[in-house]
């Protein structure tokens, strides 16, 4: 069986790759298990050196990987270059981690007590189609740095850059079996990783529904699990904000990657007294978005990933609610125009459910307390933004918002050096930054009696 990989901007097949099943998944786990003792035993500086070489090897192929990601994901080439750049940065950041994976010494009676951060073993990684290689690198790099070996199952819609990485890793000097990729259905290969007795942990990014299933399945073998799931993040704009900047930056905080971003600020909460002015500014910004061929320099938004995703997104939009609609190409490809819905109540379906497409909702609020209540009235808690010139208010609201990643006067969520992850049903565990290493290691405590 082959997987037909589509190019979303043309709806044409761009590649065919062999489809893995249970047998291939088991074989990949066996290779990772065999490679584990030597990889784990490698002196920390040597593991770091190999990760640095992998970063360099990816950097040398950056343009080709970016073109592949742009075509297969339907994402603007500029964004794809940024993502592969982040992959390089992620491997470089964690190349320094093996030598910094220190434990503690703890004062006790009769001896010395020390802790070690031990690797887990073979780690299963299940990743989505929205940022294929970038999200994979957020898992692979800390997992390898801590001494684990990995089996990655990329989304069937976007397996190409992951398969490239599997080829690049040994070329860069990583021992065979340290990085393994199985491209096959989640319900088969992903499920097998969840059930497999030789897989110590599963790290997953994707929908909350599948995340729930993975957590339940992992209970059978007491696997460690980290989950990075959906979001319905709030972009809170107070009347005292720089409205020009807030409105100029709000569209791409939802429409970036055609809205297929778990951090999308898809609920734009605007203080009543600033609403009219904000909507005027927002309209101009949305209409200026360049939607088109992902490979054309300057394109800001491409198509959705699939026809299925377009149908899901369309189900949230009724024409009577559309306040602003941008442009999108006609013809083949899974296009959907940037769309702003207003008025919308916080409990209406488009404001409640993750749309994962270029659809924003605008929801007015009365005051600070109302803004916090609306922002938190969701099952999700991934990210959020606060726009105000009042520093104390910004910090009060940041502390009150139930989300893992907040930015003030900015809509950014991700930095390689800082922790990323959700509250509530957006998941648990943290990726990136120093924290990610905690989720790829177990703490071992060793007591050494020293009494004569
Ligand atoms: P899924 O959660 O289904 O897919 C994510 C990954 O999980 C894919 O690799 C998929 O494999 C795999 N998977 C699917 N079923 C299982 C299973 N039973 N056991 C183990 N792994 C499995 O997301 P979808 O692609 O279906 O997207 C649907 C919605 O999910 C989106 O509209 C969006 O709301 C949300 N989503 C959120 C993401 C995020 O970044 N938080 C990313 C992607 C989606 P495969 O697809 O190859 O079968």
């Amino acid at each position: 069986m082959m997987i037909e990989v589509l190019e979303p901007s043309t709806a044409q097949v761009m590649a065919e790759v062999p489809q893995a099943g249970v047998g291939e998944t088991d074989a990949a786990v066996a290779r990772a298990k065999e490679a584990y003792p030597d990889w784990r035993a490698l002196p920390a500086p040597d593991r770091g050196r190999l990760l640095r070489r992998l970063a360099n090897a990816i950097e040398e192929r950056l343009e080709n990987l970016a073109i592949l990601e742009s075509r297969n994901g339907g994402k603007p080439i500029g964004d794809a270059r940024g993502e592969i750049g982040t992959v390089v940065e992620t491997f470089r950041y964690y190349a320094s981690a093996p030598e910094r994976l220190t434990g503690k010494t703890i004062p006790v009676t009769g001896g010395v007590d020390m802790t070690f951060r031990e690797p887990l073993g073979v780690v299963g990684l299940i990743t989505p189609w929205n940022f294929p290689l970038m999200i994979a690198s957020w898992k692979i790099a800390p997992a390898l740095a801590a001494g684990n070996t990995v089996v990655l199952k990329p989304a069937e819609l976007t397996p190409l850059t992951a398969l490239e990485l599997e080829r690049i890793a040994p070329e860069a000097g990583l021992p065979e079996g340290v990085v393994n990729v199985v491209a096959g259905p989640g319900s088969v290969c992903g499920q097998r990783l969840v059930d497999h007795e030789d897989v110590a942990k599963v790290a997953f990014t994707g929908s909350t529904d599948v995340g729930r299933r993975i957590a339940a399945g992992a209970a059978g073998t007491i696997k460690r699990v980290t989950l990075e799931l959906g979001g319905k993040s709030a972009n809170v704009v107070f009347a005292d904000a720089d409205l020009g900047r807030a409105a100029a930056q709000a569209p791409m905080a939802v429409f970036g990657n055609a809205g297929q971003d778990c951090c999308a600020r898809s609920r734009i909460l605007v203080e009543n007294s600033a609403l009219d002015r904000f909507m005027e500014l927002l309209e101009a910004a949305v209409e200026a978005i360049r939607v088109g061929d992902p490979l054309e320099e300057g394109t800001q938004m491409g198509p959705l990933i699939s026809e299925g995703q377009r149908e899901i997104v369309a189900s949230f939009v009724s024409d009577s609610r559309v306040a602003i609609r941008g442009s999108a190409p006609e013809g083949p490809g899974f296009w959907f125009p940037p769309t702003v819905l207003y008025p919308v109540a916080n409990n209406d379906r488009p404001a409640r459910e993750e749309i994962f497409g270029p659809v924003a909702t605008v929801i007015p609020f009365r005051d600070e307390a109302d803004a916090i209540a609306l922002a938190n009235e969701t099952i999700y808690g991934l990210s959020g933004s606060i726009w105000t010139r009042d520093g104390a208010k910004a910090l009060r609201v940041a502390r009150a918002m139930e989300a893992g990643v907040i930015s003030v006067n900015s809509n950014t969520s991700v930095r390689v050096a800082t922790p990323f992850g959700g509250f509530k049903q957006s998941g648990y565990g943290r990726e990136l930054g120093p924290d990610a290493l905690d989720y790829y290691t177990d703490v071992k405590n060793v007591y050494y009696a020293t009494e004569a």
Side-chain angles (χ1 to χ4, degrees):
M1 276 280 278
M2 302 297 278
I3 303 172
E4 288 194 336
V5 182
L6 295 188
E7 182 165 12
S9 62
T10 61
Q12 299 295 309
V13 176
M14 65 177 281
E16 292 195 18
V17 297
Q19 187 183 59
V22 168
E24 287 81 2
T25 309
D26 285 353
V29 172
R31 285 195 302 276
K33 188 179 176 187
E34 201 185 329
Y36 172 61
D38 286 352
W39 180 249
R40 173 199 175 157
L42 209 61
D46 295 345
R47 237 180 13 246
R49 187 173 45 78
L50 287 173
L51 290 177
R52 225 163 269 123
R53 280 175 56 175
L54 181 56
N56 293 343
I58 296 167
E59 193 169 41
E60 281 161 21
R61 296 160 178 81
L62 191 145
E63 188 62 16
N64 284 346
L65 288 166
I67 290 171
L68 211 51
E69 205 79 302
S70 170
R71 290 185 62 201
N72 188 191
K75 58 179 74 232
I77 184 68
D79 292 2
R81 287 188 191 113
E83 286 172 32
I84 306 299
T86 302
V87 173
V88 173
E89 215 189 309
T90 303
F91 279 105
R92 284 215 175 109
Y93 177 81
Y94 285 106
S96 303
E99 291 166 276
R100 295 185 179 138
L101 210 55
T102 54
K104 298 178 181 134
T105 55
I106 302 172
V108 289
T109 305
V112 176
D113 195 284
M114 60 198 120
T115 65
F116 296 89
R117 299 227 58 120
E118 303 285 19
L120 303 171
V122 177
V123 175
L125 312 173
I126 303 174
T127 52
W129 40 261
N130 53 345
F131 300 103
L133 195 60
M134 188 172 80
I135 288 180
S137 75
W138 298 354
K139 302 181 192 317
I140 298 172
L144 297 187
N148 305 282
T149 54
V150 301
V151 178
L152 166 68
K153 196 220 82 65
E156 267 204 303
L157 291 170
T158 56
L160 300 179
T161 47
L163 291 166
E164 278 301 301
L165 181 72
E166 193 188 32
R167 280 188 280 274
I168 295 169
E171 280 173 32
L174 271 77
E176 293 288 340
V178 169
V179 176
N180 307 274
V181 176
V182 283
S187 55
V188 179
C189 303
Q191 185 67 47
R192 183 66 184 152
L193 289 175
V194 172
D195 294 338
H196 205 299
E197 295 221 334
D198 290 336
V199 174
K201 176 208 164 113
V202 169
F204 171 77
T205 299
S207 61
T208 297
D209 278 351
V210 173
R212 245 179 236 120
R213 240 176 290 154
I214 287 177
T221 47
I222 317 290
K223 262 185 195 53
R224 281 90 187 106
V225 179
T226 43
L227 301 173
E228 202 271 278
L229 309 174
K232 197 71 205 175
S233 298
N235 182 359
V236 182
V237 182
F238 285 98
D240 63 3
D242 179 339
L243 285 186
R245 278 185 62 210
Q249 292 182 29
M252 289 319 284
V254 195
F255 306 137
N257 212 40
Q260 302 163 123
D261 181 345
C262 47
C263 291
R265 270 76 167 156
S266 52
R267 290 186 300 145
I268 307 175
L269 309 187
V270 184
E271 192 162 3
N272 271 325
S273 56
L275 189 62
D276 291 347
R277 178 72 188 128
F278 184 85
M279 288 302 278
E280 269 171 40
L281 294 164
L282 187 68
E283 184 164 10
V286 172
E287 286 171 353
I289 295 172
R290 291 187 296 279
V291 184
D293 181 357
L295 287 176
E296 201 172 296
E297 302 290 343
T299 292
Q300 291 173 291
M301 194 185 114
L304 292 165
I305 189 72
S306 64
E307 185 54 35
Q309 195 65 19
R310 183 162 67 173
E311 280 164 19
I312 293 174
V313 174
S315 77
F316 285 91
V317 177
S318 61
D319 284 346
S320 59
R321 292 282 184 89
V322 175
I324 308 170
R325 184 177 267 142
S327 63
E330 308 269 315
F334 312 124
W335 303 98
F336 201 92
T339 305
V340 178
L341 304 182
Y342 175 79
V344 178
N346 203 43
N347 57 3
D348 287 344
R349 183 171 167 250
R352 211 177 55 234
E353 294 181 21
E354 185 173 48
I355 299 176
F356 234 56
V359 180
T361 53
V362 175
I363 301 162
F365 68 84
R366 284 188 309 276
D367 54 19
E368 185 178 327
D370 192 29
I372 293 167
L374 288 169
N376 290 342
E377 194 187 61
T378 164
I379 61 165
Y380 296 112
L382 188 52
S383 53
S385 301
I386 301 153
W387 293 81
T388 174
R389 288 191 172 95
D390 178 338
K393 180 162 71 181
L395 275 179
R396 277 198 308 274
V397 178
R399 294 301 303 276
M401 277 170 77
E402 295 162 356
V405 194
I406 306 274
S407 37
V408 177
N409 297 333
S410 157
N411 295 316
T412 53
S413 292
V414 173
R415 283 173 189 77
V416 169
T418 61
F420 174 75
F423 283 21
K424 303 200 285 191
Q425 293 190 36
S426 288
Y428 46 72
R430 289 295 175 270
E431 307 207 280
L432 298 173
D435 303 64
L437 295 160
D438 292 348
Y439 298 93
Y440 291 98
T441 51
D442 269 340
V443 175
K444 181 182 286 167
N445 189 62
V446 176
Y447 171 71
Y448 200 141
T450 55
E451 278 169 350

